[in-house]
Amino acid sequence: MTYTLTYESEIVKPMDSHEMGLLLEQSRNNNKRDNITGCLIYYMGGFIQVLEGEKTKVLELYEKIKLDERHKNVHMFSEDDNVERSFPNWGMAYYPIDANTTNKSEFEQFKRNLLLLADFTVPKHLTAKLFWDRTKFLITNPPEDL
């Protein structure tokens, strides 16, 4: 049985691409070790992430995220136990978008790509569906100044 949770958080201090790369490398290595899969979206200073794996390991990781100084306002909005993973081959997919480094045409391309991915992904459980629904909502309602 696989446990899944989805959360949102805000970033405390903007991260440059190098810092984000280091975070992702560390996360992917730890997730591989712990057999955790999922998807991470970085969007306008915030994260939305779905995590899948053995319940104890996923909850341990979520507790670490809540205590991580780089996150604030961490909020889990869905969790459930499942028979099958929605992201079985994704060690940790990552999709960045940030108003400070993205022009309108880049944002539109990002949005199209992510909407296609969301539309072609068949969620295996409610938590994955809510993750994609929330992601679609966020990317179709960009900040006014973009």
Side-chain angles (χ1 to χ4, degrees), residues 9-31:
S9 69
E10 295 174 40
I11 197 161
V12 171
K13 180 184 99 167
M15 299 172 75
D16 63 29
S17 60
H18 177 73
E19 291 171 311
M20 187 63 73
L22 291 174
L23 172 65
L24 286 169
E25 182 179 343
Q26 180 184 18
S27 296
R28 286 177 176 143
N29 289 336
N30 292 341
N31 290 350

Side-chain angles (χ1 to χ4, degrees), residues 4-53:
T4 303
L5 71 79
T6 297
Y7 75 90
E8 286 181 294
S9 69
E10 295 174 40
I11 197 161
V12 171
K13 180 184 99 167
M15 299 172 75
D16 63 29
S17 60
H18 177 73
E19 291 171 311
M20 187 63 73
L22 291 174
L23 172 65
L24 286 169
E25 182 179 343
Q26 180 184 18
S27 296
R28 286 177 176 143
N29 289 336
N30 292 341
N31 290 350
K32 183 176 182 179
R33 177 196 68 217
D34 294 336
N35 194 26
I36 293 174
T37 57
C39 185
L40 172 68
I41 308 286
Y42 176 61
Y43 180 83
M44 307 301 173
F47 292 106
I48 179 170
Q49 184 171 28
V50 60
L51 299 167
E52 303 173 320

Side-chain angles (χ1 to χ4, degrees), residues 39 41 48 50 86-87 90 93 95 109-125 128-140:
C39 185
I41 308 286
I48 179 170
V50 60
S86 287
F87 305 92
W90 299 24
Y95 297 93
Q109 184 61 48
F110 170 84
K111 185 167 90 170
R112 282 191 298 275
N113 290 345
L114 202 51
L115 287 171
L116 278 172
L117 181 60
D119 288 342
F120 284 117
T121 301
V122 179
K124 307 272 192 234
H125 46 77
K129 180 183 180 332
L130 292 172
F131 169 80
W132 288 119
D133 288 350
R134 182 69 179 152
T135 298
K136 285 182 195 180
F137 174 79
L138 289 173
I139 64 174
T140 55

Side-chain angles (χ1 to χ4, degrees), residues 39-75:
C39 185
L40 172 68
I41 308 286
Y42 176 61
Y43 180 83
M44 307 301 173
F47 292 106
I48 179 170
Q49 184 171 28
V50 60
L51 299 167
E52 303 173 320
E54 194 270 314
K55 187 171 188 171
T56 303
K57 294 288 186 186
V58 171
L59 289 173
E60 285 173 5
L61 175 56
Y62 180 63
E63 289 303 314
K64 286 180 186 177
I65 291 167
K66 289 185 343 187
L67 297 174
D68 190 316
E69 297 173 344
R70 296 168 289 200
H71 294 266
K72 65 180 180 180
N73 300 326
V74 180
H75 168 74

Side-chain angles (χ1 to χ4, degrees), residues 77-95:
F77 62 87
S78 183
E79 65 178 328
D80 57 3
D81 291 303
N82 310 287
V83 183
E84 190 175 355
R85 294 177 190 242
S86 287
F87 305 92
N89 301 313
W90 299 24
M92 186 50 58
Y94 168 64
Y95 297 93

